[in-house]
Amino acid sequence: MTVDIDNPLAADAVTGLWAYPPTLPPKWLYDERGSRLFDEITRLPEYYPTRRETAILEAHAADIAQATNAEMLVEFGSGTSTKTRLLLQAFADRAATLGRPVTYVPLDVSTEILESSAAVLASDYPGIDIHPMVTDFTSPGLVLPPSTGPRMAVFLGGTIGNFDDAERAVFLERLAAVLSPGDYFLLGADLIKDTGRLVAAYNDKAGVTADFNRNMIEVLRAGLDAQGLYADDFDHIARWNPGRHRIEMWLRARRDIDVYFAVLQRHWKLSAGTEVLTEISTKFDPSDLAGELAAAGLREVRSWTDDAGDFLLTLSCR
Ligand code: AVJ
């Protein structure tokens, strides 16, 4: 079978959908509708991580600016989010106090998202130089722009939890390799907690996370030209995997599925009850995470949690 190498969804589908268990990378959850649904998730009563991380930044963004003296912020999977703004404000204030410039480098795979958010941030923060870079930060060729002073890489939201153990080790190693001695890494990570609360955060009463997960079926249908594939034919499953301390999101076929993907020229057959893995969200123990950072050559400088101890923001130094 030939697969269009310029169609990354086709490539991921061929690799993942016929694997055991079938799986698709979580990035395919975030088309326009998926991104909107995720935004809605961050405001759900059950979904605590965004609120907790925001609270930590509200309390400590100025401490982070002071502790690092960073002149450049490089954000992985950037946005126009409240969280980014809290950091930018603190670093702009610090730069103004010291009378030196500060640069913000948002990294994202989507040119459109990068350009529109950079334009908004540039007008809201005239004191900050904004240099967006279109890049997949998980790819091996990452090079950061040079800076006269310390740089700080920023990876918020707990998205590090989307990597499995091996992917995370590779990511941290590559990150450490692109940082120079004296550069910093600010990481947001969700912590292990009561299973009931964890599961509820990914299985909300309003069903928004279920719609978000099932939207991946719509992405497949549109992107691979699949006739007769319906989101309603799948149930949303969110379950805690205690051995790997992670939430797993699955889509379980409600009936036998036989779909023809025109783009792949291939049938996809699932028997009723088969589950497709769509996302993992690993939760961390703070000292284990510090150990992983240290193994990659990143030394913990300071860490902060929210009042409830739900979420961790950890600052490490190369
Ligand atoms: C954006 C990856 C941090 O894992 O909590 C939320 C994604 N998935 N609800 C997370 C998500 C279902 C979220 N991250």
Side-chain angles (χ1 to χ4, degrees), residues 211-286:
D211 285 345
F212 172 70
N213 192 12
R214 280 196 292 254
N215 183 55
M216 205 186 250
I217 297 297
E218 308 287 355
V219 169
L220 284 175
R221 180 173 52 195
L224 301 181
D225 195 5
Q227 300 289 316
L229 181 63
Y230 301 107
D232 284 354
D233 287 335
F234 291 85
D235 282 324
H236 163 68
I237 310 286
R239 82 165 72 89
W240 175 244
N241 181 329
R244 306 179 87 167
H245 47 92
R246 66 192 199 188
I247 289 284
E248 296 172 355
M249 291 209 315
W250 299 81
L251 289 168
R252 182 193 289 155
R254 303 180 63 162
R255 57 168 181 89
D256 291 345
I257 305 284
D258 186 351
V259 185
Y260 182 67
F261 291 123
V263 169
L264 305 180
Q265 296 175 34
R266 196 163 164 168
H267 286 269
W268 190 44
K269 293 180 188 173
L270 298 178
S271 47
T274 303
E275 295 181 347
V276 181
L277 181 63
T278 53
E279 186 176 52
I280 62 169
S281 193
T282 307
K283 308 304 175 186
F284 296 91
D285 169 85

Side-chain angles (χ1 to χ4, degrees), residues 41 44-49 190-210 236-242 245-250 281 283:
I41 287 173
L44 291 169
E46 297 97 331
Y47 192 77
Y48 59 85
D190 196 12
L191 298 176
I192 297 168
K193 58 182 59 62
D194 171 69
T195 305
R197 284 185 58 217
L198 282 170
V199 171
Y202 294 83
N203 202 1
D204 61 282
K205 282 219 170 74
V208 181
T209 308
H236 163 68
I237 310 286
R239 82 165 72 89
W240 175 244
N241 181 329
H245 47 92
R246 66 192 199 188
I247 289 284
E248 296 172 355
M249 291 209 315
W250 299 81
S281 193
K283 308 304 175 186

Side-chain angles (χ1 to χ4, degrees), residues 27-109:
K27 67 176 175 192
W28 300 112
L29 291 164
Y30 298 89
D31 68 337
E32 204 185 307
R33 175 164 182 260
S35 300
R36 231 183 321 110
L37 287 167
F38 176 68
D39 220 59
E40 225 178 290
I41 287 173
T42 65
R43 292 188 294 273
L44 291 169
E46 297 97 331
Y47 192 77
Y48 59 85
T50 310
R51 274 188 296 279
R52 298 301 194 225
E53 190 178 43
T54 302
I56 300 170
L57 283 168
E58 276 167 350
H60 299 295
D63 300 335
I64 295 162
Q66 195 178 5
T68 62
N69 258 316
E71 291 182 17
M72 178 181 286
L73 267 61
V74 182
E75 186 173 17
F76 299 155
S78 55
T80 43
S81 71
T82 313
K83 294 180 288 183
T84 297
R85 286 166 172 272
L86 289 165
L87 275 178
L88 291 180
Q89 190 61 58
F91 278 79
D93 291 348
R94 174 108 188 130
T97 306
L98 299 176
R100 57 156 173 71
V102 61
T103 305
Y104 175 58
V105 182
L107 310 182
D108 205 290
V109 285

